[in-house]
Amino acid sequence: MASTMLKLFKLIILFVVIFGDRSQTSLATVPNALKGQHLRIIWPRWEGNPKGLSGPLKGGVIIDYLAARLGFTYEMVRITENRLEPAPNQRGLFNYLWDGKCDFLVTAVVPTWERNKVVDLTLPWDYTTLTFLIPVHTDTANIKSVVKPFQWPLWVGLIVTAVCVIVVLSLIQRCLEYMERRPLPETKAATETCTNLPKNTSRLNGGAGKQSLYVLGNLLSQGGPCASNRLPFRLVAGVWTLGAFIFVQAYTSILFTYVVAPVSLPLINSIYDIADSDDINLLMKKAGTPEGMFMNNNWTGFYEKIRIRVNSFPDSRCVLVSDCIKFISPGSRNVFVDGAPYQLDAIKEDFEKTGKCNLQLARNSYSTLPLAMALPKHSPYTNPISKGFLELQERGLINYWDLWFRPMPVQCTENFKFSGLQSSRRENHPPLSLKNLTGAFLVLLVGISLAFLAFLCEQIISMPRGRRPCRRI
């Protein structure tokens, strides 16, 4: 399948080279030192190399385009190394350039001052960001959505307010009862006034229990009769009814947003979450760009926290990307940092193996990096190859090839939408499923259970004393 696709790309490249508008290219007036030359090229993802080496997925089609456009032939050099700079007792890819065994290194080289001194770097052929690969957490019941609309100080204030209203209503009720029951002066006017009062002016039915049911009933949108017709009592009750209406409307308007929100929050949103956490492990490739950026310095503050997180996990640095990705499993607290294209490849490959979207990218990336390719120092081929990259960018082919070589599964669109790469297939917004409303159904079940328990208690209390079950002694 891969060889068939590569042959198809070769035909497309030849069509673009032959029938493309040469008048707009920068190669028309540049001396072509590559024409008729035979180059030895290193592309880590060449099928003759060991599996798992890091390199641009579209490197092969870039080589074919440049060869057809600049008129050179090439052969692949077999390698086993996966790092650029050599290490003690270990060779790097730059050794092939220094030893004259390679003319062109087709990989993603981040330009630095140190590298520019020892090799020739082309103009950037692409730009990428450092992204964080995290596991997708399993779905859980969204029960916390019931309390999320209000912050905890507001819940405390609401409870204290409800208790205060119950106490005030009870005190007003007791005060009114006392005033109605105290004896009046034995005068005719007082007697006439007392006898002329309607017998049902006040409806004082019980103590704090009635007031509690009234206050809580308004909060639960159940309402209830006011325990007294007297003006002081009804003023306090009316103020509470208005306040409860505002609380209930604010709560219900926000509750729906939290009920349908994702039930599994991502492990992190940015690298700063890693620095501020004590239980998240950061993984990175040995001799890669992240290691040089975070580990090979003595900077304090944020970088010091990252170094502590990396050094706290014994398997935090791996030779191959696949060795790090195997630690990113559902339920783990591990995060892998690398270039966005390599992370997207990991998501795609994992989906093809498991049929599930087990990996995703964190919301925020860290840094934008230019990517170049390397040649031996003072190589005569650096300038025409750089102009060839400018031509590719001018035509927009490099970005377009991503959609061909990396067709991301539409099922995992939500897992990589922050990377800027969209699925090649049409996106359909999925409807709400049962997992989004699990919390609401659980709350409903709890409410029904409490209502049934209250019903049983009322039935037991209302039974005649003689029919109640006697407790054996």
Side-chain angles (χ1 to χ4, degrees):
M1 181 66 183
S3 59
T4 304
M5 182 175 291
L6 188 58
K7 292 179 181 178
L8 178 60
F9 273 110
K10 288 183 178 180
L11 294 176
I12 296 175
I13 289 170
L14 291 176
F15 178 82
V16 172
V17 172
I18 295 174
F19 297 100
D21 186 6
R22 296 172 180 260
S23 61
Q24 297 182 359
T25 63
S26 58
L27 292 177
T29 58
V30 176
N32 188 1
L34 278 166
K35 190 171 184 178
Q37 299 295 324
H38 185 76
L39 271 62
R40 293 162 297 178
I41 296 177
I42 289 179
W43 178 37
R45 293 207 180 193
W46 176 52
E47 59 184 7
N49 293 329
K51 302 297 181 182
L53 301 184
S54 302
L57 184 63
K58 50 196 172 184
V61 69
I62 290 177
I63 297 172
D64 287 332
Y65 178 89
L66 293 177
R69 189 70 178 92
L70 301 176
F72 66 85
T73 58
Y74 65 89
E75 63 176 311
M76 292 292 186
V77 178
R78 190 179 184 277
I79 59 170
T80 56
E81 293 78 12
N82 197 42
R83 56 187 301 159
L84 295 174
E85 289 87 358
N89 301 323
Q90 185 177 359
R91 289 170 55 85
L93 298 181
F94 283 168
N95 287 106
Y96 292 86
L97 300 177
W98 299 336
D99 298 341
K101 297 180 180 180
C102 173
D103 300 307
F104 187 25
L105 182 58
V106 181
T107 188
V109 182
V110 177
T112 62
W113 180 73
E114 292 82 2
R115 290 173 177 175
N116 195 48
K117 290 195 306 182
V118 295
V119 295
D120 271 1
L121 298 176
T122 64
L123 293 177
W125 60 275
D126 200 1
Y127 293 86
T128 188
T129 58
L130 290 180
T131 56
F132 302 91
L133 190 69
I134 59 178
V136 175
H137 280 200
T138 56
D139 295 332
T140 56
N142 198 10
I143 302 179
K144 294 183 179 179
S145 61
V146 179
V147 298
K148 281 184 177 180
F150 291 162
Q151 297 181 5
W152 70 266
L154 187 55
W155 283 112
V156 173
L158 182 60
I159 294 174
V160 173
T161 303
V163 172
C164 291
V165 172
I166 294 173
V167 172
V168 170
L169 291 177
S170 300
L171 291 177
I172 292 176
Q173 179 179 352
R174 290 180 178 274
C175 182
L176 293 175
E177 288 179 348
Y178 173 77
M179 293 178 63
E180 290 184 357
R181 292 175 181 175
R182 68 179 182 177
L184 297 175
E186 295 181 357
T187 61
K188 184 177 180 180
T191 304
E192 291 178 355
T193 305
C194 183
T195 56
N196 292 333
L197 285 174
K199 297 182 178 180
N200 205 21
T201 302
S202 178
R203 295 167 51 210
L204 302 174
N205 303 320
K210 296 289 185 179
Q211 320 310 331
S212 302
L213 291 177
Y214 175 76
V215 171
L216 296 179
N218 279 276
L219 283 178
L220 299 176
S221 300
Q222 298 300 313
C226 189
S228 174
N229 290 330
R230 301 297 293 270
L231 181 61
F233 192 98
R234 294 181 71 85
L235 283 176
V236 177
V239 172
W240 170 249
T241 302
L242 179 61
F245 174 79
I246 296 175
F247 280 124
V248 171
Q249 294 302 315
Y251 176 81
T252 54
S253 61
I254 304 175
L255 176 63
F256 182 76
T257 304
Y258 285 100
V259 168
V260 301
V263 293
S264 56
L265 296 177
L267 181 61
I268 63 167
N269 288 319
S270 67
I271 191 173
Y272 301 101
D273 295 335
I274 303 175
D276 298 334
S277 177
D278 295 330
D279 61 343
I280 296 179
N281 304 314
L282 181 61
L283 286 66
M284 58 183 62
K285 189 182 72 172
K286 285 185 178 179
T289 300
E291 184 181 31
M293 182 178 297
F294 297 113
M295 306 302 295
N296 298 337
N297 57 65
N298 295 321
W299 299 342
T300 58
F302 163 75
Y303 287 90
E304 184 178 7
K305 294 180 180 179
I306 294 297
R307 287 196 297 272
I308 293 175
R309 300 302 326 131
V310 174
N311 294 328
S312 63
F313 187 59
D315 299 320
S316 60
R317 277 168 280 194
C318 52
V319 177
L320 300 178
V321 172
S322 57
D323 295 336
C324 284
I325 293 178
K326 68 181 182 182
F327 289 103
I328 313 299
S329 57
S332 67
R333 307 285 294 178
N334 302 324
V335 180
F336 176 56
V337 56
D338 204 355
Y342 303 140
Q343 308 286 43
L344 295 174
D345 290 341
I347 294 177
K348 180 175 178 292
E349 292 174 3
D350 180 78
F351 177 81
E352 292 174 349
K353 291 179 180 178
T354 63
K356 299 179 180 180
C357 301
N358 298 318
L359 305 176
Q360 68 178 17
L361 297 182
R363 177 183 295 271
N364 299 321
S365 57
Y366 178 67
S367 178
T368 300
L369 303 172
L371 302 179
M373 295 187 183
L375 296 92
K377 197 63 179 175
H378 307 299
S379 172
Y381 311 139
T382 304
N383 191 42
I385 289 179
S386 296
K387 298 296 178 62
F389 287 150
L390 288 178
E391 185 181 75
L392 280 173
Q393 293 177 346
E394 187 180 73
R395 295 177 182 272
L397 292 176
I398 292 182
N399 293 331
Y400 185 71
W401 285 339
D402 266 328
L403 300 177
W404 287 42
F405 277 92
R406 193 178 286 111
M408 300 299 294
V410 70
Q411 295 89 337
C412 305
T413 301
E414 293 295 322
N415 296 21
F416 60 83
K417 65 180 182 180
F418 303 112
S419 67
L421 179 66
Q422 301 298 326
S423 174
S424 57
R425 289 185 284 178
R426 184 178 179 181
E427 296 180 18
N428 294 320
H429 297 286
L432 294 179
S433 61
L434 183 61
K435 68 180 181 181
N436 298 106
L437 301 176
T438 304
F441 282 109
L442 289 178
V443 173
L444 181 61
L445 180 62
V446 172
I448 293 176
S449 302
L450 292 177
F452 183 71
L453 180 62
F455 170 75
L456 293 179
C457 293
E458 289 180 352
Q459 293 297 318
I460 294 174
I461 294 174
S462 62
M463 290 175 60
R465 185 176 298 274
R467 295 178 57 187
R468 293 182 185 178
C470 298
R471 185 176 58 182
R472 294 183 178 180
I473 301 177

